[in-house]
């Protein structure tokens, strides 16, 4: 089983200098690639000088996470792709449980390890934690993280468990599956494209699994942090894209409640004196409606749609019913 660990980089020399050594030291079972998304720093020169064993793929421009990986993975031959953020520290033996799980279950096509916080290593990390789910209206949440409430790792998710989506921070996928589904939707640019891909995988009848015996530590927010309105725009817009493309049910019955819930989020940002985030949500909706016709065409061409949610509304659960932890849902 050939594994390629593929790290997408954009102006991340400092991150590569800090985190790439752990990947090299603990990934003898894999070939390692850095995909450079037209960095303007000297990332490529640095890799060539200090890590000659690492393969370099250079994209001609910064086309974001989705197209950046799509273009690069066409040039890599492997059975398994591991898409790894450049701000992730991996642990000793992290690949062995993943390899075993892929070998033992042919229906499993995507695996996520346990993702802990690099700075507080006894806590889960926001982007993925112990595996992701979505509610009826397309809002994502995780075992170990609901909105901004992040759990301490007390062994409560030390299992191998089916999940709905795996985090793009550390995302293992069979190459045949990635190629058969056309990879990431490049219109997403960045953020939540892995959720869209996982949704399409679920609709096609395959399994996505969380594996706690593989552990990585993620900084998070190294490219766009939660204070950046651009991240708010991408998250809200792309969540609407994924919902329209993939969700089972009558679309208007999903979009109208979602409009109301997003309006509440926009009002919350206003009350917190963050008007740029409110305008980012408004812009996300306008962009979504402009593209709705194309999204409906993608929806009609999709595979059989499954019931994709366990909770009708994680927003109501969290903000109204005050259910802050996954075990309370």
């Amino acid at each position: 089983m050939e594994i390629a660990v593929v790290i997408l980089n954009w102006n991340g020399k400092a991150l590569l200098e800090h985190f790439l050594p752990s990947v090299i030291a603990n990934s003898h079972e894999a070939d390692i690639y850095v995909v450079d998304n037209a960095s303007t720093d000297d990332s490529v020169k640095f890799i060539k000088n200090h890590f000659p064993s690492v393969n370099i793929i250079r994209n001609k421009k910064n086309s974001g996470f989705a197209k950046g990986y799509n273009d690069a993975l066409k040039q890599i031959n492997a059975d398994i792709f591991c898409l790894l953020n450049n701000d992730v520290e991996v642990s000793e033996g992290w690949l062995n449980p993943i390899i075993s799980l892929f070998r033992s279950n042919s229906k499993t096509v995507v695996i996520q390890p346990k993702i802990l916080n690099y700075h507080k290593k006894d806590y889960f990390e926001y982007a993925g934690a112990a595996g992701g789910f979505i509610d009826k209206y397309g809002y994502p949440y995780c075992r170990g993280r609901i909105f901004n409430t992040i759990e301490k790792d007390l062994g409560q998710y030390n299992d191998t468990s089916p999940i709905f989506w795996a985090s793009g921070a550390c995302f293992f996928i069979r190459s045949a599956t990635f190629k058969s589904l056309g990879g990431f939707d490049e219109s997403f640019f960045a953020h939540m494209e892995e959720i869209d891909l996982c949704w399409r995988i679920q609709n096609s009848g395959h399994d996505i699994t969380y594996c706690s015996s593989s552990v990585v530590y993620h900084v998070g927010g190294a490219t766009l942090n939660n204070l950046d309105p651009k991240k708010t725009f991408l998250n809200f817009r792309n969540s609407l894209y994924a919902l329209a493309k993939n969700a089972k049910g009558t679309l208007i019955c999903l979009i109208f409640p979602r409009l109301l819930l997003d309006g509440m989020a926009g009002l919350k940002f206003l009350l917190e004196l963050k008007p740029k985030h409110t305008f980012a949500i408004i812009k996300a909706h306008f962009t979504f409606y402009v593209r709705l016709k194309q999204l409906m065409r993608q929806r009609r061409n999709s595979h059989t749609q499954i019931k994709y949610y366990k909770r009708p509304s994680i927003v109501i659960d969290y903000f109204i019913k005050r259910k802050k932890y996954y075990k309370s849902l």
Side-chain angles (χ1 to χ4, degrees), residues 125-171:
E125 208 280 314
Y126 182 95
F133 297 90
I134 53 173
D135 74 359
K136 182 176 181 179
Y137 304 108
Y139 289 101
Y141 61 99
C142 305
R143 299 198 310 166
R145 192 275 297 174
I146 301 178
F147 291 105
N148 289 323
T149 299
I150 298 172
E151 296 181 35
K152 189 173 185 178
D153 178 20
L154 301 173
Q156 66 271 43
Y157 306 118
N158 283 356
D159 57 9
T160 298
S161 178
I163 56 177
F164 189 79
W165 59 267
S167 170
C170 187
F171 186 93

Side-chain angles (χ1 to χ4, degrees), residues 276-295:
K276 290 183 179 180
H277 292 269
T278 301
F279 288 118
I281 295 174
I282 295 170
K283 180 182 176 183
H285 272 264
F286 274 107
T287 306
F288 165 71
Y289 299 130
V290 167
R291 197 166 178 272
L292 186 56
K293 184 177 180 180
Q294 183 178 349
L295 293 166

Side-chain angles (χ1 to χ4, degrees), residues 2-39:
E2 297 181 6
I3 298 180
V5 175
V6 188
I7 302 169
L8 189 68
N9 174 72
W10 180 70
N11 289 342
K13 177 192 168 185
L15 294 171
L16 293 171
E17 185 175 6
H18 190 85
F19 292 101
L20 195 51
S22 81
V23 179
I24 294 171
N26 295 301
S27 307
H28 301 297
E29 303 87 348
D31 294 320
I32 301 171
Y33 295 80
V34 170
V35 178
D36 189 75
N37 243 4
S39 293

Side-chain angles (χ1 to χ4, degrees), residues 215-278:
V215 181
V216 302
Y217 303 93
H218 184 215
V219 173
T223 303
L224 281 178
N225 63 48
N226 290 330
L227 299 177
D228 192 327
K230 184 176 180 181
K231 185 169 185 176
T232 299
F233 165 74
L234 290 170
N235 279 336
F236 277 83
R237 185 199 67 175
N238 292 350
S239 177
L240 286 164
Y241 280 7
L243 185 69
K245 286 175 58 181
N246 303 304
K248 182 178 181 179
T250 304
L251 193 57
I252 188 63
C253 295
L254 299 173
I255 297 303
F256 183 69
R258 176 61 190 266
L259 175 63
L260 298 177
L261 291 168
D262 285 0
M264 291 170 57
L267 180 60
K268 181 174 182 291
F269 279 127
L270 275 181
L271 295 175
E272 294 172 348
L273 303 180
K274 298 176 181 177
K276 290 183 179 180
H277 292 269
T278 301

